[in-house]
Amino acid sequence: LINAQFDEICQFVKEGFFVELNRRKYNWIIFSLIFLISAVVIFSAVELATEQPDNKQDINISAEDDSNKDKDKKDENIEVKEDKNYLPTAPTFSNAWAAMNYAYKIMNNYSYTSTKSQTAVNDEVMGIVVRQNSTEKKYKTKEECLITSICSSNSSEGLNYSNLIYLNEADTSVIQRIAYNTDGNFLNANESKYSKADYLNKFGTDVKNSYFKLTSENATNDSFNIMGSNYVLKFTLKSNVDGVFDNMGKNILNSPAETRNFGGISATFEIKINRKTGAFVSIKTTERYYVEKNTRAIGWAGSNITAISTETFKFADININNLVKSTLGK
């Protein structure tokens, strides 16, 4: 009797063991299946995301890839905090042109950094719409000016490249480097060197300033308002003035985008100037122009373009020697 009961207990334990074993095996299969499905969903989402066109209008060139945080610290951009006490106190302005002239004076005589983003889109031609995005970072001191920009497009008809311009007032030279990547790496890029005069003649700008210098002769003041701590000014370029688009045309026709047959149409500006310092806070520009591009699109001779850009300024005493050395590799 005792042996029979012992055998029965052993059988019960044995069966229980296999039930438990099967239960664990079943749970593991379910867990593995869920993990597999999750992995498929995740990788499908990643693949799907990479197939979508990049419609972001702004590309942050100082954005840091977490996986490369410690890779190369010397190439990181200088993060400049605006120094509220760096600039002298400005007089009070009662008209737009007085405020503008003072802001230009501050910009040319003091150090600053600025960040500009631009989106240019063509009017649809044969179903083709190309969005060209760019971001630009400028570091300007008394003797130097360094500009780095990254351009990208959502279309194969656009271009992806990085552009560098460095002005050294001491030796009156301008260096330009163009790299056909969006990494902002210029160490192995093609380099061109110009005198200041030659650069101005070819590109329509002295590096430090835009190809548009607004004056009462080439622009009309549409409004002058006070909003909080800023003056807000609006201007329209006088498109009927001879040569008003010449510098813009030089800049666009000699860009890496390989454009041709430029024609200026219009340009408007919304400018914010700090009431205390008289310095630029931001400049928003809306440009319309006609251009032809060397493109693979059959039959596309040219199109009107709308380009909208916003540049924001921070004024502070800065030193860019290390940044110049790391960017230029010297």
Side-chain angles (χ1 to χ4, degrees):
L1 177 61
I2 293 174
N3 290 337
Q5 289 178 343
F6 179 79
D7 291 339
E8 183 179 353
I9 291 171
C10 289
Q11 182 65 26
F12 175 79
V13 171
K14 182 178 179 182
E15 290 176 355
F17 172 79
F18 283 107
V19 167
E20 176 63 20
L21 183 63
N22 288 334
R23 185 182 66 81
R24 292 185 180 184
K25 182 177 180 182
Y26 176 79
N27 288 342
W28 173 250
I29 293 172
I30 294 298
F31 172 79
S32 301
L33 183 60
I34 292 173
F35 178 82
L36 180 60
I37 293 173
S38 300
V40 171
V41 170
I42 290 171
F43 285 112
S44 297
V46 171
E47 183 178 357
L48 181 63
T50 60
E51 293 175 354
Q52 297 300 315
D54 183 5
N55 292 323
K56 293 188 295 184
Q57 294 188 4
D58 298 322
I59 302 174
N60 180 5
I61 64 176
S62 65
E64 187 178 18
D65 182 355
D66 288 338
S67 64
N68 294 314
K69 276 187 175 181
D70 299 320
K71 184 178 179 181
D72 197 353
K73 292 293 185 182
K74 70 178 183 178
D75 291 334
E76 291 180 356
N77 288 344
I78 299 173
E79 291 300 328
V80 176
K81 292 184 178 180
E82 186 172 19
D83 186 348
K84 300 295 184 181
N85 299 316
Y86 175 62
L87 301 177
T89 300
T92 300
F93 301 108
S94 58
N95 71 81
W97 289 116
M100 276 291 292
N101 291 335
Y102 188 89
Y104 277 131
K105 180 180 178 180
I106 292 295
M107 186 173 66
N108 288 322
N109 288 280
Y110 290 86
S111 299
Y112 68 88
T113 63
S114 71
T115 302
K116 181 166 71 172
S117 61
Q118 182 184 80
T119 299
V121 182
N122 69 289
D123 293 353
E124 183 176 336
V125 177
M126 298 181 63
I128 299 172
V129 176
V130 178
R131 180 186 297 273
Q132 189 78 46
N133 300 316
S134 68
T135 56
E136 175 187 286
K137 189 78 172 182
K138 178 189 288 186
Y139 303 87
K140 183 264 180 189
T141 66
K142 183 178 180 180
E143 294 292 336
E144 298 172 289
C145 186
L146 176 68
I147 302 174
T148 58
S149 58
I150 295 179
C151 302
S152 62
S153 177
N154 69 326
S155 169
S156 60
E157 307 305 332
L159 279 180
N160 298 283
Y161 63 92
S162 300
N163 191 30
L164 175 147
I165 305 168
Y166 172 62
L167 165 67
N168 188 326
E169 294 280 14
D171 61 14
T172 65
S173 65
V174 179
I175 292 174
Q176 181 186 41
R177 288 186 180 181
I178 300 173
Y180 289 94
N181 61 59
T182 56
D183 300 328
N185 186 341
F186 303 99
L187 298 183
N188 297 313
N190 295 328
E191 180 176 295
S192 300
K193 191 170 183 177
Y194 305 88
S195 68
K196 287 177 60 178
D198 288 343
Y199 187 87
L200 176 62
N201 184 61
K202 181 175 182 178
F203 294 97
T205 171
D206 64 356
V207 179
K208 294 183 292 185
N209 295 286
S210 166
Y211 43 71
F212 286 131
K213 176 71 181 292
L214 299 181
T215 67
S216 57
E217 285 74 34
N218 65 17
T220 59
N221 173 229
D222 302 319
S223 64
F224 174 75
N225 296 303
I226 295 176
M227 297 182 64
S229 60
N230 298 322
Y231 299 107
V232 180
L233 296 65
K234 293 185 178 181
F235 297 93
T236 299
L237 202 68
K238 296 178 180 178
S239 58
N240 59 342
V241 174
D242 290 341
V244 73
F245 290 106
D246 285 356
N247 287 337
M248 180 184 180
K250 289 178 181 179
N251 196 271
I252 291 177
L253 290 172
N254 288 290
S255 73
E258 300 178 353
T259 54
R260 62 182 188 271
N261 296 337
F262 169 88
I265 299 174
S266 65
T268 60
F269 308 83
E270 181 179 299
I271 298 171
K272 294 182 181 179
I273 296 174
N274 185 281
R275 292 171 61 191
K276 178 182 177 181
T277 64
F280 288 119
V281 175
S282 65
I283 300 175
K284 181 179 180 180
T285 307
T286 302
E287 302 166 332
R288 284 279 289 170
Y289 56 93
Y290 173 85
V291 73
E292 294 180 14
K293 297 182 68 176
N294 296 329
T295 175
R296 293 186 295 276
I298 298 175
W300 184 25
S303 178
N304 290 338
I305 308 292
T306 299
I308 300 175
S309 63
T310 300
E311 183 174 13
T312 57
F313 298 81
K314 291 182 180 180
F315 286 83
D317 189 12
I318 59 175
N319 186 319
I320 63 172
N321 290 340
N322 291 336
L323 179 62
V324 170
K325 289 177 182 179
S326 65
T327 306
L328 294 177
K330 63 178 183 179

